[in-house]
Amino acid sequence: MSNFLFGYHIGVMNGPIISVARELGFDGNPILEGLVVSIFIVGAFLGSISSGSLLDKLGFRRTFQIATIPLIVGGLLSAQAHTLDEILWGRFLVGLGIGVNTVLVPIYISEVAPTKYRGTLGGLCQIGTCLGIIASLFLGIPSEGDPHWWRTILYIASLPGFFIAFGMQFAVESPRWLSKAGRVDESRVVISNLWGESEVERAVEEFQSVIRNDGSDLNSEWSELLEEPNFRVACIGGALFFLQQFAGINGVLYFSSLTFQDVGITNGALASLVIGITNFAGALCALYLMDKQGRQRLLIGSYLGMAVSMLLIVSTISFQLDEELSHNLSIVGTIAYIFSFAIGAGPVTGIIIPELSSNRARGKIMGFSLAVHWVCNFSVGLFFLDLVQTFGVAPVYASFGAFSLVAAIFSKYFLVETKGRSLEEIEMALNPNFHGSDK
């Protein structure tokens, strides 16, 4: 539900922004139109930064429920907006809630999932995002004929928040957080219910070993990210999201109609739908492959596929080919790029960072990494069109291909495989100060 909302809000303003601008009196002002779309990202940045502290103190269930307040209020405020200020505040509040949730979801899954299914279950994040994007595109179609339809689809956006708040009342707390909070008996019950009675003693001993070593409590400080191995993991997390965004995914997603227009498809809704379905198909493949092929191999293959796809598109634009052949190859390249992203760069990035993070600093490291994500996301969204108009599609897409290649090399040399290892095993192996650890 959280990732569905994330995807929904990525796509929800694509179609109706013109109707919103006309009704609220800023029609023809591209700066204000862009602000309504992107203020969401400013909120998400602040939500990501604040999520680690909330999580440390309150645990997952309560933090999820608190994060639904801005999601619901923001959705309703946006839907009822009669001034520019109201819709800006609404979009900002929604972003705040989304920012908290994008940090919480992958950490929560990594902490409650059985080791052998952790990658597959983590891949559900990407499935939710894809479904949200597709739903927003479908629900946005009537906005072309009904100038007030945007209010309806923003009212709909508030509903998943109620489901999350209600559902988390029945969900378990992370057994790792319970152990950090000193509630070991409750942790035992959760482990028994989730992973089986036979896992209880081994898991509790691993949790306690990590807690004894790093002094885990509920008050980790941001300054701890400057200490090893947290500093290294935070740098890897920030770098992975930096490379993910500058490999161009949001340039293609946000402006898919422009990309397809360049290759002869003028129906923007159709182009966006093709991309949404391709994204979904890739995410389904990632579910199957995550715990079989491993995170590192999937990430390297994904970025190499993205680089080759960008090379194909750039070649068709740069060289004088038959026009129909050129258009067809560009479409194939764009679809291959989206599919390649969805099979690795999309889902793996969010999963592997909490897997590499220490138990004590996991919330803060993920919060920092996603803050980098939102800054880069905002930058790509802000400058993509300008760069295309200044330099043309080919040089911009060539740079996306170059970043994809760098990301593949980075994944090869700076990541370790986390498949099939418990979070505690990974932490012991990565931390040279761990007493009796395997360096």
Side-chain angles (χ1 to χ4, degrees), residues 145-204:
D146 180 355
H148 305 298
W149 181 250
W150 63 273
R151 294 188 184 276
T152 305
I153 58 178
L154 288 173
Y155 275 123
I156 292 169
S158 66
L159 293 177
F162 290 103
F163 292 132
I164 296 167
F166 181 70
M168 287 312 293
Q169 196 59 35
F170 302 96
V172 296
E173 186 52 83
S174 160
R176 291 173 167 97
W177 184 85
L178 288 170
S179 289
K180 275 201 295 188
R183 293 154 62 179
V184 179
D185 289 342
E186 290 175 61
S187 178
R188 288 175 185 274
V189 173
V190 173
I191 296 165
S192 177
N193 290 337
L194 286 179
W195 306 340
E197 187 65 38
S198 61
E199 293 291 314
V200 174
E201 291 309 319
R202 185 189 62 79
V204 168

Side-chain angles (χ1 to χ4, degrees), residues 13 17 26 29-43 84-85 87-89 91-92 378 382:
M13 280 295 174
I17 185 63
F26 56 94
N29 188 328
I31 300 293
L32 291 180
E33 287 178 15
L35 189 60
V36 168
V37 173
S38 58
I39 192 89
F40 162 80
I41 296 174
V42 178
L84 174 63
D85 285 351
I87 198 159
L88 287 175
W89 273 111
R91 292 282 293 163
F92 173 79
F378 183 79
L382 191 64

Side-chain angles (χ1 to χ4, degrees), residues 218-294:
L218 301 181
N219 295 300
S220 66
E221 300 291 336
W222 278 104
S223 59
E224 290 175 36
L225 296 197
L226 298 174
E227 302 167 6
E228 287 295 349
N230 295 337
F231 181 73
R232 183 175 20 144
V233 178
C235 287
I236 288 171
L240 282 175
F241 274 119
F242 173 87
L243 291 166
Q244 183 204 60
Q245 290 303 300
F246 281 94
I249 184 60
N250 285 315
V252 179
L253 282 181
Y254 287 163
F255 304 104
S256 53
S257 54
L258 174 88
T259 307
F260 273 70
Q261 218 170 55
D262 232 61
V263 296
I265 295 179
T266 53
N267 186 327
L270 176 64
S272 297
L273 199 57
V274 168
I275 281 183
I277 291 167
T278 304
N279 207 0
F280 182 66
L284 282 178
C285 291
L287 283 188
Y288 176 74
L289 294 170
M290 194 80 72
D291 285 313
K292 288 185 168 57
Q293 296 298 318

Side-chain angles (χ1 to χ4, degrees), residues 242-394:
F242 173 87
L243 291 166
Q244 183 204 60
Q245 290 303 300
F246 281 94
I249 184 60
N250 285 315
V252 179
L253 282 181
Y254 287 163
F255 304 104
S256 53
S257 54
L258 174 88
T259 307
F260 273 70
Q261 218 170 55
D262 232 61
V263 296
I265 295 179
T266 53
N267 186 327
L270 176 64
S272 297
L273 199 57
V274 168
I275 281 183
I277 291 167
T278 304
N279 207 0
F280 182 66
L284 282 178
C285 291
L287 283 188
Y288 176 74
L289 294 170
M290 194 80 72
D291 285 313
K292 288 185 168 57
Q293 296 298 318
R295 323 307 190 236
Q296 190 181 28
R297 186 182 293 183
L298 214 51
L299 208 52
I300 293 167
S302 170
Y303 277 120
L304 288 176
M306 290 162 67
V308 170
S309 303
M310 285 290 106
L311 179 64
L312 178 63
I313 297 171
V314 170
S315 300
T316 60
I317 295 168
S318 303
F319 299 115
Q320 296 299 314
L321 300 174
D322 173 73
E323 190 176 354
E324 189 178 345
L325 175 65
S326 176
H327 287 173
N328 290 338
L329 286 175
S330 292
I331 292 166
V332 168
T334 302
I335 290 172
Y337 172 87
I338 298 292
F339 185 83
S340 297
F341 173 85
I343 209 168
V348 174
T349 307
I351 293 165
I352 199 167
I353 298 167
E355 288 182 329
L356 294 172
S357 303
S358 69
N359 189 39
R360 180 176 173 81
R362 192 167 286 129
K364 296 273 194 318
I365 290 172
M366 196 65 184
F368 166 78
S369 302
L370 272 151
V372 172
H373 165 274
W374 292 116
V375 170
C376 298
N377 182 311
F378 183 79
S379 303
V380 172
L382 191 64
F383 295 117
F384 177 75
L385 272 179
D386 275 347
L387 289 170
V388 167
Q389 287 166 1
T390 306
F391 300 106
V393 175

